Amino acid sequence: MANALYANYKDLILGGGTHTFPDLNTDTIKLALIDTGTYSVNLATHQDHADLSGIVGTPGTLDSPTVGTVAAGTFDAADEVFTSVSGNSVEAYVIYKDSGVSSTSALIAYFDTAASGLPVTPNGGNITVAFNASGIIAF
Amino acid sequence: MPGIRVRHNMFHGGTFVVEAGPEYATPIVCPRCNPTKDGSIRIHYYKAHHITLDENGNGIISEGVYNAILEADPHGLAGLEVVNEVKDPPPLTIGMGALGQPEVISGEFIGRNGHG
């Protein structure tokens, strides 16, 4: 499948949806590496962190977030470095808002194709998710 | 253990693919394995690990990957043998940086939950 936004996040943008709308500029936005041998994405029904499984390592917080800086309607952040990843092979990653509670941490986007290094087989060293210069999510 | 250096005695200088683990809910048209030399489309139906082997057949995997392969093939380890521990494995990158695309070796081990 292609990279995509979760349906609930689309609804949140439009004023509906479940959970609090993520402010990508000020909320804690995290990235989780995903083993799709364990997690089977369902963009239509998965809404929050509690729906995830197969998380490899510890999700990282996206630093230096910007909205509308790279381009209008575009979210960007600094590249994310995962230190000493020792887990299973990774086929995807998910970006979500961390509310501090798994069941209210809204899922935002699922990525499994655009990145050049996917799937990645961890070697025990660091894994960097290097975002494109044009941003992470654009509307 | 930061990293585990493994070696394959038959394959070297490319990506060694080990299918060892659960069936994917959605089969993957693998961007690392496609396009293939013969133009066919390569699809992974089972959890796949892509191990980059150097010219001597050496590669580095994490403990989690090692355990997954070992679980699928307790006696053969997909033809790999453990060489030593790697204290400082080289970094890996996911992203738009143009990484090289090592040739995918056609010969491969396919083991599914130990049943080969």
Side-chain angles (χ1 to χ4, degrees):
Chain A
M1 64 177 300
N3 299 338
L5 300 175
Y6 284 91
N8 183 60
Y9 178 63
K10 294 179 181 178
D11 288 342
L12 286 167
I13 293 171
L14 298 173
T18 304
H19 307 315
T20 307
F21 178 68
D23 183 331
L24 300 183
N25 241 345
T26 60
D27 286 336
T28 300
I29 306 300
K30 289 192 172 181
L31 187 155
L33 301 174
I34 298 292
D35 162 15
T36 63
T38 300
Y39 175 67
S40 177
V41 66
N42 188 325
L43 295 168
T45 62
H46 289 178
Q47 298 181 336
D48 50 59
H49 178 274
D51 290 321
L52 296 177
S53 57
I55 294 176
V56 176
T58 303
T61 300
L62 297 182
D63 295 322
S64 306
T66 65
V67 172
T69 301
V70 171
T74 300
F75 168 63
D76 196 17
D79 294 347
E80 184 62 32
V81 180
F82 293 83
T83 305
S84 301
V85 180
S86 61
N88 213 337
S89 293
V90 171
E91 294 87 359
Y93 57 87
V94 169
I95 290 178
Y96 66 97
K97 167 189 172 178
D98 183 9
S99 69
V101 178
S102 179
S103 60
T104 62
S105 293
L107 302 177
I108 297 172
Y110 177 85
F111 298 82
D112 69 350
T113 50
S116 59
L118 286 177
V120 62
T121 299
N123 63 8
N126 296 351
I127 295 178
T128 298
V129 178
F131 299 115
N132 188 280
S134 59
I136 302 171
I137 298 170
F139 293 96
Chain B
M1 181 180 292
I4 301 171
R5 190 186 316 280
V6 293
R7 177 185 297 146
H8 201 292
N9 290 322
M10 291 177 60
F11 299 126
H12 57 87
T15 300
F16 182 62
V17 180
V18 181
E19 290 192 0
E23 188 173 4
Y24 288 121
T26 303
I28 295 175
V29 180
C30 180
R32 287 190 62 174
C33 297
N34 291 293
T36 60
K37 271 187 168 178
D38 61 6
S40 61
I41 297 175
R42 188 184 178 97
I43 299 173
H44 297 311
Y45 294 94
Y46 292 86
K47 178 72 177 176
H49 307 279
H50 299 73
I51 304 171
T52 301
L53 300 179
D54 65 17
E55 292 304 318
N56 297 314
N58 294 314
I60 304 172
I61 59 177
S62 69
E63 193 168 355
V65 173
Y66 171 81
N67 288 334
I69 297 173
L70 188 64
E71 183 178 345
D73 185 17
H75 305 296
L77 198 64
L80 298 163
E81 61 183 41
V82 175
V83 177
N84 58 13
E85 176 182 334
V86 181
K87 295 189 181 303
D88 190 17
L92 302 170
T93 300
I94 299 170
M96 300 308 288
L99 298 179
Q101 178 84 12
E103 179 182 350
V104 175
I105 298 168
S106 58
E108 68 178 57
F109 167 84
I110 298 177
R112 293 160 189 160
N113 298 323
H115 298 295

